[in-house]
Amino acid sequence: MSRAGNVVESVRARLADSDYSDRSLIVGTMLAIYVLYLLVGFSLGFDVNGQVNALQRITFLTAVFAMAGLALNLHWGYTGLFNVGIAGFMAVGVYAMGMATAPQNPETTTAVPGLGLPIPVGILIGILAAALAGLIVALPALRLRADYLAIVTLGLSEIVRLSFSSNTLGEFTIAGTTMGTGGNSGINLVGDPSKIVRQFYETGFGIGPLSDLSGAILDSFASVGIEQIVVINLSYTVVVVGILGFVYVLVQRLGNSPFGRSLKAIKEDEETTQSLGKNTQLLKAKSFVIGCGLLGLAAILWQGSRGLTTPDTYMIELTVFIWVVVIIGGAGSNTGTVLGAALFVSILDEGPRFFRDIVNATFDIPRAPTSIVEAVGSIGEGDLMPLLAYVFGELAALQFVLLGVVLILIIKRRPEGLMGHRKEPASTLDISRPATERGDGAPGPPAGSSDPEAGTGEKEDATDE
Amino acid sequence: MPPNGSYLPQGNPQYVVRNYYLELIFLGILLLLLVDLLNSVRTGALPLTRLLTFVWDGIIIGLALGLAGVGLSMTYSILGFANVSHGDAMTAGAFLGWSSVFLLVGYGDEAFGQLLLLGVGGDLFASDLGISLFKRPWAVLFGIVATGALTAGLSLLIDRLVFKPLRDVGSLMVLVASVGVAFILRYLVVFFYKPTQRSVAVAPERAAIGLFDGVPVIAASREELVAGESILEFPVGVGRKTQSYLQVTSHEVLLIVTTILLMVGLHLLLQRTKLGKSMRAMADNEELARARGIPTERVINWTWIIGGSCTGIAGFLVVLERGTMSFQFGWLLLLLIFAAVILGGIGSIYGAIVGGIVIGLTTTLSLVWLPEATLARPVAFVIMILVLLVRPQGLFRGRVVG
Amino acid sequence: MSETETAPTEQEETAPEPILSVTDLRKEFSGITAVDSVTFDIEPSGMTGLIGPNGAGKSTTFNCITNLVSPDGGTVVFDGEDVTGMPTYRIARKGLIRTFQIARELREMTVLENMMLTANEQNESPFHAVSPGLRDNVRRQEERLLETAWELLEFFDIDHLAYSYAGTLSGGQRKLLELARALMADPEMLMLDEPFAGVNPTLEERLLDRLHALTQEGYTFLVVEHDIKLIMSNCERVLVMHQGELLADGPPEFVREDERVIEAYLGGEVSG
């Protein structure tokens, strides 16, 4: 049919077009953040290493949070699965990787032995373990109401965290093999994925040309005064960003396919989708398991490079971070999720600390008073500095308060997030309105009526803002 | 009503078969554990004293969970969302309540700021004020009332600022908003009171319960009981044994008595008054209730007031019983409260109490078999998850009363 | 428990093998019997009407047949296979598709997406969706589906709405979309729950026209409808339900004369 052919043709152009604008949005945002941070760095008198380090740090964190956010977007944005157990699945991934790669006979007596597997195998095991945890939850729990699924996943993440912190799992022996989670003090991550990058620079993997290449890279960075450790971190970040790109394409392709179309339908009305012959339980389980595997990957890339992970990393706070990333960006939009991660990391997470550093560097801030009453008391004497010092001292707590406020404000003012709901067609073909036919006054997306989660009134309010 | 339409028809025959199948396995395991428990007591592997202490502790935790669960259960069934900020409202209420108790007791003797912040950054300690039920009964009673009122007020304020504007928004988004509220409350407490654990009450008065020469007695302590210096004797004899079985504190007794009194009061309030009827109507079908002229916003306000004060009082009593509190105590209790409410059936007040006691007993009795205490909470959560999977409507089907 | 007082069903002796046969279907909701021992057969190809006053149990019967609500008793045999208690999606895959009383279009999906969703013989593997070579196969398959979708949209005269979000359609257009979408699944039989409710006369005419055309092609329809006249003049056979029971079963002329049907409708008018 010529008509269908036309559609396919005319729309490919548009697809490329929208891809381009999405990509430029992400790159533009990152550049703006970089400029901001460079300015801050200058005002703080950072040297080249300090500047590069700061940019590398926010890029790295943005990449891992975006990756976890994409996984949650697959769950929540695409399928409508309310996963509040993110921290738990991340913990399973990291710990499985840690236990698989820990040496069988550790050098120090305090270290817990493990299976002694190579790093890539350990990473794979970690991803599979997180996916398996997802499968175990998915099989029974996905038939539950969304809010019950929330409670089940929340409970599960606490079960995981508390069990990993127990002495019982701290070190145990199965079939003659001793391994463990290290209990409360955590586990050394021998399978640190950044080690591969470090090896590349230190030995070139023993391959001549590679070692020449790594040497050349180090030299050229050294010529602008950047140290080896910074280069290694930077290179690892580049690798992680590359993996993020891979995950992005993966999730995007999942969404734009018959699989993604069925997920979208499930999110809207599961009963109808069943009535049309879709095995919704199976589809939901697939989406859940894939997302959990990606959460494991993100967590391994993130925590792995720290060399040590402890159970208290995986509290509800971590889960909320990932939710904030997705909610800022807009559930259903992958571009939005990456933007959300960038904004979350640079403004909400790292921003306040940078601000404090600037103020500390500019003004003479006294030692923080021991209590808020003392701090407020000195206002009476016309001195605001003690209060400021107290606020800076408790900045970490205030950051969480700020996070809570942001969460509530988004839900009140702009529940669809920055990028709004998913607009791209759920198909491998672009079956949205061809460019030539647009702007002819035909009805566009449903105004305010489409979002099952948000009331019409809310949406109208949002557009008034 | 169903958020995001992921209900599965509950009448599905396979579903039903699986339901009862699993419930039977569940009961079977429970029975096996009970037999094992009785057997360990018989053989002496589990001393009776230990078992009784587990049961007593379990009931205390359980009643507190149940009392705190009433509010969660009511808002869940009437407003239709799982309120994640419930535990942190309890924390914030308890901190405010204890501040007011400190002010009442220490005003004039200690620095105002020190009292207000429960001794943050200074040298005011719990022992300086010496708060316990027998030493300062009025302060404790004041604390119960004040914490209840403050938490109710806090709940109303949160509703006005956050939840009221979100009445028409889907329940899942309100749940996310309540996570935001939880963060704000929890970390404002940290901001003002600092994250360290605070000691607020002194060791409570104790009593030992046991047998002296076969006569059930209550004594001031284990030693006095064994020495025969009892406070109270029951004029019956069982054998000729002398042993102390259980130590109780005045704060534990206060918690039990207060919770039971409040429960009876709540029962009467909801069963006998028009308000109770309106609440039931709203839990069943809000639109219908509104159509029938029930002033829904007023009912919602009362829901927060009743739920908030019960939660606050539960928090105050838990802190009194433990003697210490930290900014995380409400959050740490929240999942157990959820477990209790889900087990009992969302919307049911008796369910919350029964569910609370079951969860409380689980966390203590599971220690009979568990290798370490860290795993007790995971076991309670596993039970909660199993209940959600096997019997999502809970033990008592969801009604505000009965 | 009560006996089915169904009008002559013996006429089916000479009829071909039924495509759907419902036997002794029962469903109770907290003490109220919504469907009470309903038994009927539907022969392939043709349009059967199912009428009855409000609360007669018509929609519940549909829900029980497709197991969206599981029946308390009875059997449902579709195309020679017992499908009682089979998961809803599998019944649908066997070729028995139903629509809903209130159109349940997937509003945040476009009309085309709605259409493309339904095709059952498509590759929904996430692995194929992401793998470089295999994705091209999926794409070719989707191109074929897209053609079918366009044909059906044209057939129902809603092709001009293809790119609109389903939520923006009018009530009647939604009904057309639901029907077109159901046909994408390539069903053998369609159960339509009030397909004419809220549809304006022009669209109603068009819809009826299409239904008759499809009947000619061999599709089987079971249509629940409020509008008795419409059913009487368009169906070759009419089932009448009242208070959960099947009251009458036969050709329109026969049903129209049935004392109990008249009484049920009159009673329904008076109390309702």
Side-chain angles (χ1 to χ4, degrees), chain B residues 102-118:
Chain B
F102 267 43
L103 282 173
L104 180 80
V105 174
Y107 191 73
D109 301 331
E110 306 279 350
F112 179 81
Q114 286 281 298
L115 292 167
L116 193 66
L117 294 179
L118 305 174

Side-chain angles (χ1 to χ4, degrees), chain A residues 94-95 98-100 102 112-113 180-183 185-190 307-311:
Chain A
V94 174
Y95 272 88
M99 284 159 72
V112 185
T181 60
S185 47
I187 187 169
N188 283 321
L189 299 173
V190 181
L308 171 83
T309 202
T310 51

Side-chain angles (χ1 to χ4, degrees), chain A residues 235-255:
Chain A
S235 307
Y236 180 57
T237 299
V238 170
V239 170
V240 171
V241 169
I243 297 174
L244 171 67
F246 174 75
V247 171
Y248 184 95
V249 172
L250 196 80
V251 175
Q252 193 80 8
R253 284 192 156 195
L254 282 177

Side-chain angles (χ1 to χ4, degrees), chain A residues 241-295:
Chain A
V241 169
I243 297 174
L244 171 67
F246 174 75
V247 171
Y248 184 95
V249 172
L250 196 80
V251 175
Q252 193 80 8
R253 284 192 156 195
L254 282 177
N256 300 341
S257 77
F259 176 67
R261 189 160 57 226
S262 292
L263 297 186
K264 198 173 180 181
I266 289 170
K267 189 188 179 187
E268 282 203 44
D269 187 340
E270 186 173 352
E271 224 175 50
T272 302
T273 313
Q274 282 176 347
S275 297
L276 293 172
K278 304 289 167 192
N279 186 352
T280 54
Q281 291 304 323
L282 186 65
L283 288 161
K284 285 196 311 190
K286 283 179 183 172
S287 157
F288 200 75
V289 168
I290 295 170
C292 286
L294 292 178
L295 283 174

Side-chain angles (χ1 to χ4, degrees), chain A residues 68-416:
Chain A
L70 287 173
L72 176 61
N73 197 28
L74 181 63
H75 284 168
W76 169 241
Y78 282 24
T79 326
L81 296 173
F82 204 81
N83 180 2
V84 198
I86 293 165
F89 295 111
M90 291 177 107
V92 170
V94 174
Y95 272 88
M97 185 275 275
M99 284 159 72
T101 52
Q104 282 173 316
N105 300 302
E107 287 155 25
T108 54
T109 46
T110 49
V112 185
L115 300 178
L117 296 170
I119 296 175
V121 179
I123 294 175
L124 195 66
I125 287 178
I127 295 169
L128 290 179
L132 186 70
L135 184 68
I136 292 169
V137 175
L139 285 178
L142 291 184
R143 62 181 68 244
L144 293 177
R145 261 168 55 176
D147 51 343
Y148 288 179
L149 179 67
I151 296 168
V152 167
T153 48
L154 183 59
L156 181 97
S157 74
E158 282 294 285
I159 291 172
V160 167
R161 182 178 70 83
L162 290 168
S163 306
F164 283 2
S165 72
S166 74
N167 293 326
T168 315
L169 285 184
E171 187 163 346
F172 57 90
T173 306
I174 294 177
T177 313
T178 303
M179 51 183 161
T181 60
N184 242 333
S185 47
I187 187 169
N188 283 321
L189 299 173
V190 181
D192 175 354
S194 70
K195 262 188 191 163
I196 300 176
V197 176
R198 200 175 311 142
Q199 270 174 15
F200 168 69
Y201 284 110
E202 281 166 1
T203 66
F205 305 120
I207 303 166
L210 281 184
S211 115
D212 291 347
L213 178 66
S214 66
I217 296 174
L218 282 177
D219 285 346
S220 57
F221 273 104
S223 65
V224 286
I226 295 174
E227 297 159 8
Q228 176 169 345
I229 176 74
V230 179
V231 177
I232 290 174
N233 286 340
L234 196 61
S235 307
Y236 180 57
T237 299
V238 170
V239 170
V240 171
V241 169
I243 297 174
L244 171 67
F246 174 75
V247 171
Y248 184 95
V249 172
L250 196 80
V251 175
Q252 193 80 8
R253 284 192 156 195
L254 282 177
N256 300 341
S257 77
F259 176 67
R261 189 160 57 226
S262 292
L263 297 186
K264 198 173 180 181
I266 289 170
K267 189 188 179 187
E268 282 203 44
D269 187 340
E270 186 173 352
E271 224 175 50
T272 302
T273 313
Q274 282 176 347
S275 297
L276 293 172
K278 304 289 167 192
N279 186 352
T280 54
Q281 291 304 323
L282 186 65
L283 288 161
K284 285 196 311 190
K286 283 179 183 172
S287 157
F288 200 75
V289 168
I290 295 170
C292 286
L294 292 178
L295 283 174
L297 173 67
I300 288 169
L301 294 174
W302 173 44
Q303 286 290 308
S305 64
R306 297 184 162 193
L308 171 83
T309 202
T310 51
D312 56 8
T313 312
Y314 306 97
M315 308 255 273
I316 179 75
E317 278 78 356
L318 176 58
T319 298
V320 174
F321 290 166
I322 310 297
W323 267 95
V324 169
V325 163
V326 172
I327 286 181
I328 290 178
S333 166
N334 292 324
T335 315
T337 301
V338 177
L339 286 179
L343 294 177
F344 169 78
V345 169
S346 59
I347 296 175
L348 293 174
D349 192 36
E350 298 282 305
R353 273 194 292 269
F354 262 91
F355 176 72
R356 175 182 61 190
D357 292 347
I358 295 175
V359 176
N360 269 335
T362 322
F363 301 98
D364 187 24
I365 304 290
R367 232 174 71 92
T370 50
S371 79
I372 184 77
V373 172
E374 222 175 288
V376 173
S378 49
I379 294 179
E381 297 150 23
D383 190 3
L384 270 172
M385 283 305 173
L387 182 63
L388 195 61
Y390 185 83
V391 166
F392 281 176
E394 298 299 320
L395 196 66
L398 283 184
Q399 273 185 283
F400 283 112
V401 175
L402 176 68
L403 209 59
V405 172
V406 167
L407 211 49
I408 293 168
L409 282 181
I410 294 175
I411 287 163
K412 267 191 181 171
R413 304 278 182 210
R414 202 174 163 78
E416 74 278 25

Side-chain angles (χ1 to χ4, degrees), chain B residues 140-208:
Chain B
V140 171
L141 287 182
F142 169 79
I144 293 176
V145 176
T147 312
L150 285 166
T151 317
L154 186 67
S155 300
L156 275 178
L157 183 73
I158 294 168
D159 182 58
R160 197 59 38 90
L161 294 177
V162 181
F163 298 131
K164 197 175 176 184
L166 297 177
R167 290 273 196 268
D168 297 326
V169 173
S171 68
L172 291 179
M173 282 297 106
V174 186
L175 193 160
V176 175
S178 80
V179 174
V181 175
F183 266 42
I184 295 174
L185 290 175
R186 191 182 318 164
Y187 288 100
L188 277 179
V189 166
V190 174
F191 181 75
F192 289 111
Y193 293 95
K194 298 278 174 104
T196 46
Q197 181 128 336
R198 311 230 69 78
S199 174
V200 289
V202 294
E205 301 70 21
R206 291 174 183 282

Side-chain angles (χ1 to χ4, degrees), chain C residues 18 23 49 51 62 67 70 77-78 83 111 116 122-123 142 155 158 160 211 217 254 268:
Chain C
T23 317
I51 58 169
F62 269 26
N67 200 25
S70 71
V77 175
F78 178 70
V83 297
V111 167
M116 301 276 285
Q122 61 181 317
N123 188 349
E142 284 212 280
F155 179 70
I158 46 173
H160 59 288
L211 286 182
E217 278 181 45
F254 173 82

